[in-house]
Amino acid sequence: MQITGEILIGGKAVAGKGESFTGWNPSTGQALEPTFYGATTEQVDEACALAAEAFDAFRGTTLEERAKFLEAVAQAILDLGDELIERTMAESGLPRPRIEGERGRTVGQLRLFAQVVRQGLWLSPVLDSALPDRTPLPRPDLRLRKIPIGPVVVFGASNFPLAFSVAGGDTASAFAAGCPVVAKAHPSHPGTSELVGRAIQKAVAASNLPAGVFAMVGGRDNGVGGALASHPAIAAIAFTGSRAGGLALAGIAAKRPVPVPVYAEMSSVNPMFLLPGALQGDVAALAQGFADSATMGTGQFCTQPGLVLGLTGPEFDSFAQVAAEKMCAKTATTMLNKGIHDAYEKGVKTVEAHASVQTVARGQAGSSAWGGVPALFQTKASEILKDRHLSEEVFGPSSILIACENREEMLAIAASLEGQLTATLHMTAADTELARELVPVLEKKAGRILVNGFPTGVEVSYAMVHGGPFPATSNDHYTSVGATAIDRFLRPVCYQNFPAALLPTELDDANSLGLWRLRDGKVEQR
């Protein structure tokens, strides 16, 4: 499939009329062909208007029709074959196994949501039968279901060019809910985005859906994103990226005449707590696992462990020494773009220059144009408590070891942290008492708490939560990964005293769809 540099609107590829830009190969620092052109405000308006026109028809599809559409998108992405893999590698600097794995995750998400749609649990049907003889007042017939909210804007992420991008989890869950999607392609991988966008267009046409169900626009400046976020046809915004970017979109959405929700995943340092029992075990394996997690994908995972806490003593000193050796052995690999690389270098220098921080390891320089050299620092918990800037995210393969004088200081650090995507406990049975004190604190701080694992790697499943209190996300009531990500794009509607002829099929007396429902307080199927 030829990459033309066009944007995708109304089932067609059209020339963007905005600013020109190119993709870049971060491994070589070279520009990639072809030239791309951003969308204008008028083109954004066209894409959003078509999405609004398509909404009622799309939300009116049957569960089976929508599930088959999601499966068609998955197959169309697979049909791109090596062309997609090679272009994504060129634009991201990521190795083939990582990209092939990410393609598998992207396809898997789409297929998971096809299964979610067919099951229908997300509809949350509830029926309260009329009680005409109840005193002092009768109860009317009440029935509830969830409906899609309307067109959704999805902003592609830089660090996952497939799984969090044009056809990523945000798009899959929005489609599953019955919401058209207008995707904003990330400028770091425009060719990848075009290929995937064309695959979605193909699936839309093959499924006989209105062309406005999907559009993709691009652009390097912030104007396109601002136009999308402020468009009156847009009902919600999904974003993965920097805190500054997420807050900017939230500000635009809040100032609209009709504000809309912004589901932004933004910033997290994902603290790891090494409890005493764990430090008396296989320290070499623990240190290796940490170093591998901290540098995975050049540390550009949103769940990268940026803080590691332990109690002061010979055991923590031993871990620090081995972890430093493991980090020193790591070689710099390619960062996603020059902007991320420069921000990482600036962040590392800031930490390095702090009077209370000791640099304990730097990795090996690589050959990449924009390589991120791993860095490991150490400080005392008392210094973190005095200067919260030390606990802020440095996006890349950098972590800080934090020595706590006692368990009270460790608990104080936990309580002082900002909201996180994850928090990890490494422990044995002997650490249960301390863990029991930490867990209630971490429940208030993180969306996912792990025991004896590493936070990088997010399973796409029914129970997964990839979210957390601010600034991890802008709305900690929801997850951007897993089956319940669909809830972001739904709202409840109650139907009172509706005649049978007007009732949605999900709420009919016969339960003709065979859904699990709550009827008069009892769970039923059939």
Side-chain angles (χ1 to χ4, degrees):
M1 183 183 294
Q2 183 181 4
I3 300 173
T4 64
E6 295 172 296
I7 58 178
L8 309 175
I9 300 176
K12 301 175 181 178
V14 299
K17 298 177 182 179
E19 181 184 5
S20 65
F21 64 100
T22 61
W24 291 83
N25 186 322
S27 297
T28 64
Q30 300 298 310
L32 297 167
E33 294 293 337
T35 299
F36 293 81
Y37 291 87
T40 61
T41 301
E42 292 75 19
Q43 289 176 314
V44 167
D45 180 68
E46 181 184 3
C48 294
L50 287 171
E53 290 176 15
F55 176 45
D56 281 337
F58 187 42
R59 78 185 186 103
T61 54
T62 67
L63 302 187
E64 184 61 23
E65 287 169 341
R66 209 176 305 162
K68 286 183 176 178
F69 165 59
L70 289 163
E71 291 167 343
V73 174
Q75 187 58 52
I77 291 171
L78 290 175
D79 289 344
L80 293 170
D82 254 13
E83 183 181 11
L84 176 62
I85 300 299
E86 290 167 3
R87 182 69 186 203
T88 310
M89 290 169 60
E91 290 185 333
S92 68
L94 297 170
R96 176 177 284 269
R98 157 68 192 273
I99 297 302
E100 289 178 340
E102 193 176 325
R103 178 180 61 181
R105 172 176 168 171
T106 304
V107 169
Q109 288 173 158
L110 289 158
R111 289 174 172 166
L112 170 69
F113 278 106
Q115 184 175 330
V116 168
V117 168
R118 287 190 176 100
Q119 290 169 337
L121 295 174
W122 55 277
L123 291 162
S124 302
V126 179
L127 292 80
D128 291 332
S129 300
L131 298 175
D133 298 327
R134 191 185 66 175
T135 58
L137 294 173
R139 184 176 77 183
D141 182 275
L142 300 169
R143 308 186 188 211
L144 176 151
R145 68 163 179 167
K146 290 183 179 179
I147 67 168
I149 58 175
V152 172
V153 168
V154 171
F155 285 80
S158 62
N159 58 338
F160 282 86
L162 296 177
F164 275 84
S165 192
V166 173
D170 291 332
T171 297
S173 53
F175 279 160
C179 297
V181 168
V182 180
K184 166 63 169 63
H186 196 281
S188 289
H189 34 79
T192 300
S193 298
E194 183 183 328
L195 289 172
V196 173
R198 287 178 179 271
I200 298 175
Q201 274 193 335
K202 178 182 176 182
V204 169
S207 302
N208 296 315
L209 295 172
V213 164
F214 173 76
M216 187 198 78
V217 297
R220 190 168 288 281
D221 64 87
N222 294 330
V224 175
L228 287 166
S230 60
H231 198 282
I234 296 304
I237 298 163
F239 171 85
T240 298
S242 68
R243 188 187 305 196
L247 291 178
L249 290 173
I252 293 171
K255 292 175 182 177
R256 290 173 42 163
V258 179
V260 297
V262 176
Y263 302 108
E265 182 207 307
M266 298 179 292
S267 177
S268 184
V269 293
N270 308 295
M272 287 179 51
F273 296 81
L274 309 182
L275 304 192
L279 289 174
Q280 293 174 3
D282 190 343
V283 172
L286 183 58
Q288 185 68 65
F290 155 69
D292 291 345
S293 181
T295 59
M296 184 182 293
T298 323
Q300 298 166 119
F301 282 25
C302 41
T303 51
Q304 190 263 3
L307 299 178
V308 183
L309 298 92
L311 296 180
T312 300
E315 291 86 1
F316 189 59
D317 290 344
S318 177
F319 170 83
Q321 180 180 345
V322 180
E325 293 170 358
K326 303 297 184 184
M327 290 289 275
C328 283
K330 296 287 186 180
T331 300
T333 50
T334 303
M335 301 200 82
L336 292 157
N337 58 51
K338 186 177 186 300
I340 289 175
H341 172 264
D342 292 350
Y344 173 68
E345 290 294 319
K346 180 180 178 181
V348 166
K349 287 178 181 177
T350 299
V351 175
E352 208 167 28
H354 199 284
S356 69
V357 174
Q358 175 189 1
T359 302
V360 297
R362 289 305 306 264
Q364 307 298 309
S367 58
S368 172
W370 299 326
V373 179
L376 185 63
F377 305 102
Q378 186 164 352
T379 191
K380 296 179 179 180
S382 57
E383 299 297 333
I384 295 283
L385 291 169
K386 284 192 295 185
D387 187 353
R388 290 191 60 175
H389 292 299
L390 282 174
S391 62
E392 292 177 353
E393 180 183 34
V394 176
F395 189 67
S398 165
S399 298
I400 302 178
L401 304 178
I402 303 171
C404 304
E405 288 296 327
N406 48 51
R407 60 197 296 159
E408 288 75 23
E409 204 167 52
M410 181 177 282
L411 285 162
I413 290 284
S416 73
L417 291 172
E418 294 183 314
Q420 306 293 329
L421 294 171
T422 73
T424 303
L425 300 174
H426 281 272
M427 58 174 288
T428 65
D431 299 311
T432 301
E433 182 182 345
L434 177 53
R436 188 173 284 120
E437 292 184 78
L438 278 166
V439 167
V441 178
L442 298 179
E443 284 176 333
K444 293 180 284 187
K445 297 292 181 178
R448 176 165 58 111
I449 305 171
L450 301 79
V451 172
N452 294 338
F454 297 95
T456 42
V458 180
E459 182 69 26
V460 181
S461 68
Y462 285 86
M464 176 52 63
V465 172
H466 190 62
F470 183 87
T473 68
S474 58
N475 190 324
D476 62 359
H477 290 64
Y478 299 94
T479 174
S480 63
V481 178
T484 56
I486 193 174
D487 292 338
R488 296 174 295 171
F489 309 122
L490 301 168
R491 68 176 182 85
V493 174
C494 179
Y495 303 83
Q496 182 169 328
N497 288 337
F498 260 51
L502 286 181
L503 277 173
T505 309
E506 300 94 310
L507 299 177
D508 63 18
D509 286 325
N511 195 5
S512 55
L513 295 179
L515 302 174
W516 287 102
R517 309 194 302 186
L518 188 67
R519 188 179 188 114
D520 295 328
K522 296 180 180 179
V523 177
E524 67 169 17
Q525 186 184 32
R526 298 294 181 187

